[in-house]
Amino acid sequence: MNEWYKEDLAFIHDAGFSDWALKSVPGILEILNRSQIQEGLIVELGCGSGLSAQEFTKADYKVLGIDISEAMVEIARTRVPDAEFRIESLFKADIPPCNAVISLSECLNYLFDPDNNSQTLIQLFYRIYNALIPGGVFIFDIAEPGQVISQTPIKNFTETDDWIVLVEKQEDRDSEILTRRIITFRKVGEHYRRDDEVHRQQLYKAADVTAKLRRVGFEVQTTQSYGQFHLPKAHTAFIAYKPA
Ligand SMILES: C[S@@+](CC[C@H](N)C(=O)[O-])C[C@H]1O[C@@H](n2cnc3c(N)ncnc32)[C@H](O)[C@@H]1O
């Protein structure tokens, strides 16, 4: 078992932080429809617990989900038995020929994957471009610098009857790295079980990502929302088409 999105954080993310995945789907289905992609294979990178994969499956797409977290994929496999899921780094995984590639909720930013760096990011864009059919689309979002404005760390928490999650966030201006220290308490029987994770994210400027995508050959649009779902501050979504 790797050290990120372990059992308790995977459970809490699935139970308490489903909005991004679920509320983005209607807007993404509209984009696919507009792009004449009404069927075929969607490859979902950083598919998490399969929340959006389930919606894509309901809309009659085939789904291949790829995620580095065993615990997330375990939930996804139970939730969406009709989809295929692989536990792998998205920076290394084989991407089969497909109609769309989708990656929701800042999956490309995470540095806990040692295979994530500026070189593998551009290689990923090439791999996706080569896997997509002509007219296929790559839809994803990233976190940008400006997540934490203050010099001091920001702390917040979310609680329910079954779990509590505490998060401390700090952004290094020079390296443009965000560090999130995450402490979870999950009720197990009469007691709460504690777990700790530290997630570092490389933050990317939208203009730099757009330039990289264009260099690969994509036609790129950017947006701050998927349909009615507005991304949190300092995030941008990309709709990158492989020309038909
Ligand atoms: C914030 S969660 C979002 C999950 C899902 N897309 C959603 O919206 O609910 C980020 C996910 O990306 C996965 N992830 C991050 N970096 C990854 C990598 N390099 N390769 C594969 N999965 C990765 C994590 O394991 C986690 O499941």
Side-chain angles (χ1 to χ4, degrees), residues 5-208:
Y5 286 102
K6 289 177 284 178
E7 184 182 346
D8 289 349
L9 186 58
F11 172 85
I12 289 169
H13 190 278
D14 180 67
F17 298 89
S18 61
D19 269 14
W20 198 316
L22 292 181
K23 293 190 175 169
S24 300
V25 168
I28 288 172
L29 291 176
E30 266 173 42
I31 298 168
L32 294 176
N33 223 11
R34 275 204 308 273
S35 319
Q36 312 295 328
I37 302 172
Q38 275 107 353
E39 57 180 15
L41 178 65
I42 294 178
V43 175
E44 226 196 308
L45 302 176
C47 59
S49 56
L51 292 158
S52 39
Q54 184 172 42
E55 300 306 306
F56 296 133
T57 306
K58 279 188 204 157
D60 284 338
Y61 295 96
K62 289 199 177 74
V63 178
L64 166 63
I66 294 169
D67 200 288
I68 205 166
S69 157
E70 291 167 51
M72 284 287 209
V73 168
E74 200 178 312
I75 302 173
R77 284 184 175 144
T78 307
R79 169 170 287 128
V80 204
D82 289 344
E84 185 190 344
F85 294 98
R86 294 188 195 153
I87 302 163
E88 270 188 295
S89 160
L90 63 89
F91 291 98
K92 278 190 161 167
D94 181 44
I95 303 173
C98 57
N99 302 71
V101 175
I102 293 175
S103 184
L104 301 177
S105 191
E106 22 176 85
C107 304
L108 307 190
N109 293 97
Y110 287 91
L111 290 173
F112 51 56
D113 180 351
D115 289 308
N116 184 0
N117 57 57
S118 56
Q119 206 49 41
T120 50
L121 184 67
I122 187 116
Q123 285 164 10
L124 174 70
F125 292 169
Y126 276 109
R127 285 166 44 230
I128 292 170
Y129 188 90
N130 291 333
L132 282 171
I133 58 157
V137 65
F138 173 30
I139 305 168
F140 68 104
D141 53 74
I142 50 138
E144 296 177 85
Q147 301 293 315
V148 180
I149 304 294
S150 71
Q151 297 294 340
T152 47
I154 290 186
K155 301 179 191 211
N156 59 42
F157 69 91
T158 309
E159 71 177 315
T160 70
D161 289 344
D162 299 326
W163 51 263
I164 301 166
V165 59
L166 308 125
V167 182
E168 182 185 71
K169 291 198 279 187
Q170 189 159 27
E171 181 170 333
D172 184 287
R173 290 275 163 77
D174 297 330
S175 60
E176 300 186 325
I177 289 178
L178 178 76
T179 303
R180 282 193 192 120
R181 197 160 74 83
I182 303 168
I183 303 170
T184 56
F185 291 92
R186 181 176 169 196
K187 203 166 189 185
V188 182
E190 283 179 29
H191 303 285
Y192 281 85
R193 178 168 71 197
R194 174 177 170 158
D195 204 358
D196 294 63
E197 299 197 15
V198 177
H199 297 177
R200 289 168 65 249
Q201 288 190 331
Q202 183 65 59
L203 304 170
Y204 296 110
K205 294 190 182 81
D208 294 344

